């Protein structure tokens, strides 16, 4: 059996694939709308990993949140409800996403949906970091995600 030498094109392709596979997950998404759609993909009635809400772990925090919010998101807590759906449980209707304004480095995105017959409106404050769009805070009519997570941190 004779082993054929690898051509330079095959070597480059194999090297590129190896680099892509071994790199850590990058934070961020290509647009604010994509970021929001990916958040609420975790609140559906699909596969088990996409039906329990946005996970509170370091990997998810790295992908969805800016540096200042990652530690708060992944920290252990006893929260009374899921802030992103404003309830302990959810059955979401269609999610509406609208960019309200761009102010300096922040973009304000209004998100509204129906959760089990109750209208919910949140304002996501997102920033475009080097890896893409991430959440820096979320505001409800009465609270913010940052304050909520700090309040219920163990």
């Amino acid at each position: 059996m004779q082993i054929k030498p690898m051509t330079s094109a095959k070597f480059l392709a194999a090297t590129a694939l190896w680099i892509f596979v071994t790199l850590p997950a990058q934070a961020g998404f290509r647009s604010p709308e994509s970021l929001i759609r990916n958040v609420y993909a975790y609140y559906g009635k699909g596969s088990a990993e996409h039906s329990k809400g946005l996970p509170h772990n370091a990997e998810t925090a790295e992908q969805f949140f800016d540096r200042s919010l990652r530690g708060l998101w992944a920290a252990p807590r006893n929260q009374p409800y899921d802030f992103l759906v404003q309830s302990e449980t959810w059955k979401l209707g269609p999610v509406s996403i609208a960019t309200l304004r761009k102010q300096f480095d922040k973009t304000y995105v209004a998100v509204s949906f129906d959760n089990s017959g109750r209208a919910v409106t949140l304002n996501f404050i997102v920033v475009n970091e080097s890896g893409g769009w991430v959440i820096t805070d979320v505001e409800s009519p009465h609270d913010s995600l940052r304050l909520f997570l700090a309040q219920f941190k163990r």
Side-chain angles (χ1 to χ4, degrees):
M1 178 179 198
Q2 184 179 14
I3 299 175
K4 296 181 182 178
M6 189 181 292
T7 65
S8 61
K10 286 183 182 178
F11 176 76
L12 288 174
T15 303
L17 179 61
W18 179 81
I19 289 171
F20 178 75
V21 170
T22 58
L23 284 175
Q26 287 287 334
F29 292 87
R30 292 184 181 187
S31 70
E33 294 80 11
S34 174
L35 170 61
I36 305 304
R37 280 193 304 273
N38 278 280
V39 165
Y40 287 103
Y42 285 89
Y43 293 90
K45 286 197 175 257
S47 61
E49 69 269 9
H50 286 103
S51 299
K52 296 178 183 175
L54 193 64
H56 286 269
N57 58 41
E59 183 180 327
T60 302
E62 175 77 24
Q63 186 178 13
F64 285 90
F65 299 100
D66 74 352
R67 281 187 172 81
S68 67
L69 196 53
R70 288 176 190 154
L72 282 171
W73 183 261
R77 73 189 35 76
N78 293 322
Q79 60 189 36
Y81 60 93
D82 188 317
F83 189 87
L84 297 175
V85 293
Q86 298 287 295
S87 179
E88 293 177 22
T89 61
W90 52 85
K91 184 174 181 184
L92 303 184
V95 177
S96 172
I97 304 167
T99 300
L100 296 175
R101 70 182 179 276
K102 295 178 182 181
Q103 187 173 8
F104 303 109
D105 64 333
K106 296 177 182 170
T107 298
Y108 295 79
V109 181
V111 175
S112 54
F113 52 87
D114 179 87
N115 183 6
S116 300
R118 192 180 67 122
V120 176
T121 301
L122 299 170
N123 289 322
F124 281 71
I125 304 168
V126 299
V127 294
N128 193 0
E129 291 185 345
S130 60
W133 290 92
V134 291
I135 300 165
T136 191
D137 206 358
V138 181
E139 299 171 333
S140 74
H142 309 288
D143 205 356
S144 78
L145 177 62
R146 189 175 297 277
L147 295 174
F148 176 81
L149 293 174
Q151 178 181 4
F152 294 105
K153 187 176 175 182
R154 282 191 227 161

Coordinates of all heavy atoms in Angstrom, one line a residue, residues 32-33 35-40 43 54 64-65 69 73 82-85 95-101 106-113 120-127 133-140 145:
P32 N -28.6 42.8 15.4 CA -29.4 42.8 16.6 C -30.6 41.8 16.5 O -31.0 41.1 17.5 CB -29.9 44.2 16.8 CG -28.8 45.0 16.1 CD -28.4 44.1 14.9
E33 N -31.3 41.8 15.4 CA -32.4 40.9 15.2 C -32.1 39.5 15.3 O -32.8 38.7 15.9 CB -33.1 41.2 13.8 CG -33.7 42.6 13.7 CD -32.6 43.7 13.4 OE1 -31.5 43.3 13.0 OE2 -33.0 44.8 13.4
L35 N -29.6 38.3 17.1 CA -29.3 38.0 18.5 C -30.6 37.8 19.2 O -30.7 36.8 20.0 CB -28.6 39.3 19.1 CG -28.5 39.4 20.6 CD1 -27.7 38.2 21.1 CD2 -27.8 40.7 20.9
I36 N -31.6 38.6 19.0 CA -32.9 38.4 19.7 C -33.6 37.1 19.3 O -34.1 36.4 20.2 CB -33.8 39.6 19.5 CG1 -33.2 41.0 19.8 CG2 -35.2 39.4 20.2 CD1 -32.7 41.1 21.2
R37 N -33.6 36.8 18.0 CA -34.2 35.6 17.6 C -33.6 34.4 18.2 O -34.2 33.4 18.6 CB -34.2 35.5 16.0 CG -35.2 36.3 15.3 CD -35.3 35.9 13.8 NE -34.0 36.0 13.1 CZ -33.6 37.1 12.5 NH1 -34.3 38.2 12.6 NH2 -32.4 37.1 11.9
N38 N -32.2 34.4 18.3 CA -31.5 33.3 19.0 C -31.8 33.2 20.5 O -31.8 32.1 21.0 CB -30.0 33.4 18.7 CG -29.7 32.8 17.3 OD1 -29.6 31.6 17.1 ND2 -29.6 33.7 16.3
V39 N -32.0 34.3 21.1 CA -32.4 34.3 22.6 C -33.7 33.5 22.7 O -33.8 32.6 23.5 CB -32.5 35.7 23.2 CG1 -33.3 35.6 24.5 CG2 -31.2 36.3 23.3
Y40 N -34.7 33.9 21.9 CA -36.1 33.3 22.1 C -36.2 32.0 21.4 O -37.2 31.3 21.7 CB -37.1 34.3 21.6 CG -37.2 35.4 22.7 CD1 -36.6 36.7 22.5 CD2 -37.8 35.2 23.9 CE1 -36.7 37.7 23.5 CE2 -37.8 36.1 24.9 CZ -37.3 37.4 24.7 OH -37.3 38.3 25.7
Y43 N -36.9 29.3 24.0 CA -38.2 29.3 24.7 C -39.3 28.7 23.9 O -40.5 29.0 24.1 CB -38.6 30.8 25.1 CG -37.6 31.3 26.1 CD1 -36.4 32.0 25.7 CD2 -37.8 31.2 27.4 CE1 -35.5 32.5 26.6 CE2 -36.9 31.7 28.4 CZ -35.8 32.3 27.9 OH -34.9 32.8 28.9
L54 N -33.1 30.3 28.1 CA -31.6 30.5 27.8 C -30.8 30.0 29.0 O -31.0 30.4 30.1 CB -31.4 32.0 27.6 CG -30.1 32.4 27.0 CD1 -29.9 31.9 25.6 CD2 -30.0 33.9 27.0
F64 N -23.9 35.4 24.2 CA -25.0 36.3 24.2 C -24.8 37.7 24.9 O -25.5 38.6 24.6 CB -26.3 35.7 24.8 CG -26.9 34.6 23.9 CD1 -26.5 33.3 24.0 CD2 -27.9 35.0 23.0 CE1 -27.1 32.3 23.1 CE2 -28.5 34.0 22.1 CZ -28.1 32.7 22.2
F65 N -23.9 37.7 25.8 CA -23.8 38.9 26.7 C -22.4 39.6 26.6 O -21.4 38.9 26.3 CB -24.1 38.6 28.1 CG -25.4 38.0 28.3 CD1 -25.7 36.7 28.4 CD2 -26.5 38.9 28.3 CE1 -26.9 36.1 28.5 CE2 -27.8 38.4 28.5 CZ -28.0 37.0 28.6
L69 N -21.7 41.7 31.7 CA -23.0 41.0 32.1 C -22.7 39.5 32.2 O -23.5 38.8 32.8 CB -24.1 41.3 31.1 CG -25.5 41.0 31.5 CD1 -25.9 41.6 32.9 CD2 -26.5 41.5 30.5
W73 N -24.8 36.7 34.5 CA -25.7 35.7 33.9 C -25.3 34.3 34.3 O -26.2 33.5 34.6 CB -25.6 35.8 32.4 CG -26.5 34.8 31.7 CD1 -26.3 33.6 31.2 CD2 -28.0 35.0 31.6 NE1 -27.4 33.0 30.7 CE2 -28.5 33.9 30.9 CE3 -28.9 36.0 31.9 CZ2 -29.8 33.7 30.7 CZ3 -30.2 35.8 31.6 CH2 -30.7 34.7 31.0
D82 N -38.1 33.8 35.1 CA -37.2 34.0 34.0 C -37.4 35.4 33.5 O -38.5 35.8 33.0 CB -37.4 33.0 32.9 CG -36.3 33.1 31.9 OD1 -35.9 34.2 31.4 OD2 -35.9 32.0 31.4
F83 N -36.4 36.3 33.7 CA -36.6 37.7 33.3 C -36.9 37.9 31.9 O -37.6 38.8 31.5 CB -35.3 38.5 33.7 CG -35.4 40.0 33.5 CD1 -35.9 40.7 34.6 CD2 -35.1 40.6 32.3 CE1 -36.0 42.1 34.5 CE2 -35.2 42.0 32.2 CZ -35.7 42.7 33.3
L84 N -36.3 37.1 31.0 CA -36.5 37.3 29.5 C -37.9 36.9 29.0 O -38.2 37.3 27.9 CB -35.4 36.4 28.8 CG -34.0 36.9 29.1 CD1 -33.0 35.9 28.4 CD2 -33.7 38.3 28.7
V85 N -38.7 36.3 29.8 CA -40.1 36.0 29.5 C -41.0 36.6 30.5 O -42.3 36.5 30.4 CB -40.4 34.5 29.2 CG1 -39.7 34.1 27.9 CG2 -40.1 33.7 30.4
V95 N -42.7 36.6 18.3 CA -41.9 37.7 18.8 C -41.7 38.8 17.8 O -41.2 38.5 16.7 CB -40.5 37.1 19.3 CG1 -39.6 38.2 19.8 CG2 -40.7 36.0 20.3
S96 N -42.0 40.0 18.2 CA -41.9 41.2 17.4 C -40.6 41.9 17.8 O -40.4 42.2 19.0 CB -43.1 42.1 17.5 OG -42.9 43.3 16.9
I97 N -39.8 42.3 16.8 CA -38.5 42.9 17.1 C -38.5 44.2 16.3 O -38.7 44.2 15.0 CB -37.3 42.0 16.6 CG1 -37.4 40.7 17.3 CG2 -36.0 42.7 16.9 CD1 -36.5 39.6 16.8
A98 N -38.2 45.3 16.9 CA -38.1 46.6 16.2 C -37.0 47.5 16.8 O -36.9 47.6 18.0 CB -39.4 47.4 16.3
T99 N -36.1 48.0 16.0 CA -35.0 48.8 16.4 C -35.6 50.2 16.8 O -36.2 50.8 15.9 CB -33.9 48.9 15.4 OG1 -33.4 47.6 15.1 CG2 -32.8 49.8 15.8
L100 N -35.4 50.6 18.0 CA -36.0 51.9 18.4 C -35.0 53.1 18.1 O -35.4 54.1 17.5 CB -36.2 51.9 19.9 CG -37.2 51.0 20.5 CD1 -37.3 51.0 22.0 CD2 -38.6 51.3 19.9
R101 N -33.8 52.9 18.4 CA -32.8 54.0 18.1 C -31.4 53.5 18.3 O -31.1 52.5 19.0 CB -33.0 55.2 19.0 CG -32.6 55.0 20.5 CD -32.9 56.2 21.3 NE -32.6 56.1 22.7 CZ -33.4 55.5 23.6 NH1 -34.6 55.1 23.3 NH2 -33.0 55.4 24.9
K106 N -24.5 52.1 21.4 CA -25.6 51.2 21.8 C -26.8 51.3 20.8 O -27.1 52.3 20.3 CB -26.1 51.5 23.2 CG -25.1 51.3 24.3 CD -25.5 51.8 25.6 CE -24.4 51.6 26.6 NZ -24.7 52.2 27.9
T107 N -27.5 50.1 20.7 CA -28.7 50.1 19.9 C -29.8 49.6 20.8 O -29.6 48.6 21.5 CB -28.5 49.2 18.7 OG1 -27.5 49.7 17.8 CG2 -29.8 49.0 17.9
Y108 N -30.9 50.3 20.8 CA -32.1 49.9 21.6 C -33.1 49.2 20.7 O -33.5 49.7 19.7 CB -32.7 51.2 22.2 CG -31.7 51.8 23.2 CD1 -30.7 52.6 22.7 CD2 -31.8 51.7 24.6 CE1 -29.8 53.2 23.6 CE2 -31.0 52.3 25.5 CZ -29.9 53.0 25.0 OH -29.0 53.6 25.8
V109 N -33.4 48.0 21.2 CA -34.3 47.1 20.4 C -35.6 46.8 21.2 O -35.4 46.2 22.3 CB -33.6 45.8 19.9 CG1 -34.5 45.0 19.1 CG2 -32.3 46.2 19.1
A110 N -36.7 47.1 20.7 CA -38.0 46.8 21.4 C -38.4 45.4 21.0 O -38.4 45.0 19.8 CB -39.1 47.8 21.1
V111 N -38.7 44.5 22.0 CA -39.2 43.2 21.8 C -40.5 43.0 22.5 O -40.6 43.3 23.6 CB -38.1 42.2 22.3 CG1 -38.6 40.7 22.2 CG2 -36.8 42.4 21.6
S112 N -41.5 42.5 21.7 CA -42.8 42.2 22.3 C -43.3 40.9 21.9 O -43.0 40.4 20.8 CB -43.8 43.4 22.0 OG -43.9 43.6 20.7
F113 N -44.0 40.3 22.8 CA -44.6 39.0 22.5 C -45.7 38.7 23.5 O -45.9 39.4 24.5 CB -43.6 37.8 22.6 CG -42.8 37.8 23.8 CD1 -43.2 37.1 24.9 CD2 -41.6 38.5 23.9 CE1 -42.4 37.1 26.1 CE2 -40.8 38.5 25.0 CZ -41.2 37.8 26.2
V120 N -46.1 41.0 26.8 CA -44.8 41.4 27.4 C -44.0 42.2 26.4 O -43.9 42.0 25.2 CB -44.0 40.1 27.7 CG1 -42.6 40.4 28.2 CG2 -44.7 39.2 28.6
T121 N -43.4 43.3 27.0 CA -42.6 44.2 26.2 C -41.3 44.4 26.9 O -41.3 44.8 28.1 CB -43.3 45.6 25.9 OG1 -44.5 45.3 25.2 CG2 -42.4 46.5 25.1
L122 N -40.2 44.2 26.2 CA -38.8 44.4 26.8 C -38.0 45.3 25.9 O -38.2 45.2 24.7 CB -38.1 43.1 27.1 CG -38.8 42.1 28.0 CD1 -38.1 40.8 27.9 CD2 -38.8 42.7 29.4
N123 N -37.1 46.0 26.4 CA -36.1 46.8 25.6 C -34.8 46.2 25.8 O -34.2 46.3 26.9 CB -36.1 48.3 26.0 CG -37.4 49.0 25.5 OD1 -37.9 48.7 24.5 ND2 -37.9 49.9 26.3
F124 N -34.2 45.6 24.7 CA -32.8 45.1 24.8 C -31.9 46.2 24.4 O -32.1 46.9 23.4 CB -32.7 44.0 23.8 CG -33.3 42.6 24.2 CD1 -34.6 42.5 24.3 CD2 -32.4 41.6 24.6 CE1 -35.2 41.2 24.8 CE2 -32.9 40.4 25.0 CZ -34.3 40.2 25.1
I125 N -30.8 46.3 25.2 CA -29.8 47.3 24.8 C -28.6 46.4 24.4 O -28.1 45.6 25.1 CB -29.4 48.1 26.0 CG1 -30.6 48.9 26.6 CG2 -28.3 49.1 25.6 CD1 -30.4 49.5 27.9
V126 N -28.2 46.6 23.1 CA -27.2 45.7 22.5 C -26.1 46.6 22.0 O -26.2 47.7 21.7 CB -27.8 44.8 21.4 CG1 -28.9 43.9 21.9 CG2 -28.4 45.6 20.2
V127 N -24.9 45.9 21.9 CA -23.7 46.6 21.4 C -23.0 45.7 20.4 O -23.1 44.4 20.5 CB -22.7 47.0 22.5 CG1 -23.3 48.1 23.4 CG2 -22.3 45.8 23.4
W133 N -22.9 41.2 17.7 CA -23.8 41.9 18.5 C -24.1 41.0 19.8 O -24.3 39.8 19.7 CB -25.1 42.1 17.8 CG -25.0 43.1 16.8 CD1 -24.8 42.9 15.5 CD2 -25.2 44.5 17.0 NE1 -24.7 44.1 14.8 CE2 -25.0 45.1 15.7 CE3 -25.5 45.3 18.0 CZ2 -25.1 46.5 15.5 CZ3 -25.5 46.7 17.9 CH2 -25.3 47.3 16.6
V134 N -24.0 41.7 21.0 CA -24.3 41.1 22.2 C -25.2 42.0 23.1 O -25.3 43.2 22.9 CB -23.0 40.7 23.0 CG1 -22.2 39.6 22.3 CG2 -22.1 42.0 23.2
I135 N -25.8 41.4 24.1 CA -26.7 42.1 25.0 C -25.8 42.8 26.2 O -25.0 42.1 26.8 CB -27.7 41.2 25.7 CG1 -28.5 40.5 24.6 CG2 -28.6 41.9 26.7 CD1 -29.3 39.3 25.0
T136 N -26.1 44.1 26.4 CA -25.5 44.7 27.5 C -26.5 44.9 28.7 O -26.1 45.1 29.8 CB -24.8 46.1 27.1 OG1 -24.0 46.5 28.2 CG2 -25.8 47.1 26.7
D137 N -27.8 44.9 28.4 CA -28.8 45.0 29.4 C -30.2 44.8 28.7 O -30.3 44.9 27.5 CB -28.8 46.3 30.1 CG -29.4 46.2 31.6 OD1 -29.8 45.1 31.9 OD2 -29.4 47.2 32.3
V138 N -31.2 44.5 29.5 CA -32.5 44.3 29.1 C -33.4 45.1 30.1 O -33.2 44.9 31.3 CB -33.0 42.9 29.0 CG1 -34.4 42.7 28.5 CG2 -32.1 42.0 28.1
E139 N -34.3 45.9 29.6 CA -35.2 46.7 30.5 C -36.6 46.2 30.4 O -37.1 46.1 29.3 CB -35.1 48.2 30.2 CG -33.7 48.8 30.3 CD -33.6 50.2 29.8 OE1 -34.4 50.5 28.9 OE2 -32.7 50.9 30.3
S140 N -37.2 46.0 31.5 CA -38.7 45.8 31.6 C -39.3 47.1 32.1 O -38.5 48.0 32.5 CB -39.0 44.6 32.5 OG -38.9 45.0 33.9
L145 N -32.4 43.7 33.6 CA -31.8 42.4 33.7 C -30.6 42.4 34.7 O -30.4 41.6 35.5 CB -31.4 41.8 32.4 CG -30.7 40.4 32.4 CD1 -31.6 39.4 33.0 CD2 -30.3 40.0 31.0

